[in-house]
Amino acid sequence: MPQTKNPMFDDLARLMSDAAGMAQGVKREMDVVVRTQMERLLSGMDVVTREEFEAVREMAALAREENERLAARIAELEAKLASK
């Protein structure tokens, strides 16, 4: 059976191809819009960044270690005072 050229099918295929390309473009644009809105929303909420959080957590850990060291030193000095 010989194949015939049908302009209607060619037009339909072209239309579907263009629609798929347009849908991808709309998706990319929506991704950009959503990302921009989320960044604007988060910047207005005064949310800390991951780097800031990690820096403060490290500072807190160092302060906790220093407190424990100083508490041990105080206990040692009080024991010396009590023995005199």
Side-chain angles (χ1 to χ4, degrees), residues 19-53:
M22 188 172 81
Q24 287 177 339
V26 169
K27 181 191 178 301
R28 279 192 302 270
E29 190 164 330
M30 285 303 297
D31 287 345
V32 169
V33 167
V34 168
R35 181 180 303 272
T36 303
Q37 290 291 21
M38 289 301 293
E39 287 173 354
R40 184 180 299 149
L41 178 69
L42 288 175
S43 69
M45 292 176 66
D46 198 25
V47 178
V48 298
T49 64
R50 185 67 165 170
E51 292 80 19
E52 292 170 328
F53 175 80

Side-chain angles (χ1 to χ4, degrees), residues 1 4-6 8 11-15 21 23 26-28 30 32 35 37 43 48 53 56-57 61 66 71 76 83:
M1 183 187 286
T4 61
K5 273 244 183 222
N6 189 340
M8 186 176 92
D11 289 343
L12 182 61
R14 190 175 306 116
L15 178 67
V26 169
K27 181 191 178 301
R28 279 192 302 270
M30 285 303 297
V32 169
R35 181 180 303 272
Q37 290 291 21
S43 69
V48 298
F53 175 80
V56 171
R57 186 167 72 170
E66 180 71 9
E76 178 185 319
S83 67

